[in-house]
Amino acid sequence: MKAKQIDDFIAVNEFCVNHNIEIAFINLLQQNGLIEISIIESKYFVEKEQLPQLEKFVRFYYDLDINLEGIETITYLLQRIENLQNEIVVLKNRLRFYEG
C-alpha cells in the first residue's frame, strides 16, 4: 500500500467554501464517525476518496433537510443493502459452481 500524498487530500475549508457550507457540519460528520478528518501541518483535510460520500451527506443535509440522525440511518441502511447484494453475488456464484 502506498503512502498517502498531500494530493490524496482535500482541505476541509476549501471544500466548505466551494460547497457554501459550514465547517461545523464537517466536524459533526467526523464526530459521528461518518467521515475521517486528517490533520496535516495544523490544517484539516479529508481524503479524496471520501468526497463522493461527503457530497452525498451535504445533499442530504442541505438540499433534502435530513438531520444527522437520518443521515446515519440512511448510511447504515445503504451499507447493509450493499453487503447483502455482495452476499447474494457470492451465493449465486457458489450455486453456479455446484449446478455446473
Side-chain angles (χ1 to χ4, degrees):
M1 179 177 223
K2 77 172 192 158
K4 296 285 181 181
Q5 303 291 325
I6 194 69
D7 292 341
D8 296 329
F9 295 90
I10 299 291
V12 168
N13 62 343
E14 286 180 31
F15 180 86
C16 290
V17 168
N18 289 336
H19 288 80
N20 196 29
I21 63 169
E22 305 269 334
I23 290 178
F25 174 67
I26 303 297
N27 291 332
L28 284 173
L29 292 173
Q30 191 257 344
Q31 289 170 5
N32 286 284
L34 294 168
I35 63 164
E36 290 184 30
I37 294 177
S38 301
I39 302 172
I40 303 170
E41 297 176 7
S42 302
K43 294 181 183 175
Y44 296 99
F45 293 86
V46 293
E47 290 184 29
K48 283 184 178 178
E49 60 190 38
Q50 291 186 87
L51 283 181
Q53 189 76 3
L54 185 53
E55 289 172 337
K56 186 186 304 183
F57 295 151
V58 169
R59 284 191 306 275
F60 286 160
Y61 191 79
Y62 288 96
D63 297 344
L64 300 175
D65 203 27
I66 297 173
N67 65 17
L68 211 50
E69 292 80 11
I71 293 172
E72 288 176 345
T73 301
I74 290 168
T75 301
Y76 170 77
L77 292 173
L78 289 173
Q79 184 63 50
R80 185 80 176 113
I81 289 169
E82 183 178 333
N83 290 341
L84 290 170
Q85 288 172 332
N86 291 336
E87 189 175 332
I88 288 169
V89 168
V90 168
L91 292 172
K92 282 182 177 181
N93 287 339
R94 279 191 196 160
L95 183 60
R96 277 192 211 108
F97 175 77
Y98 288 111
E99 287 180 337

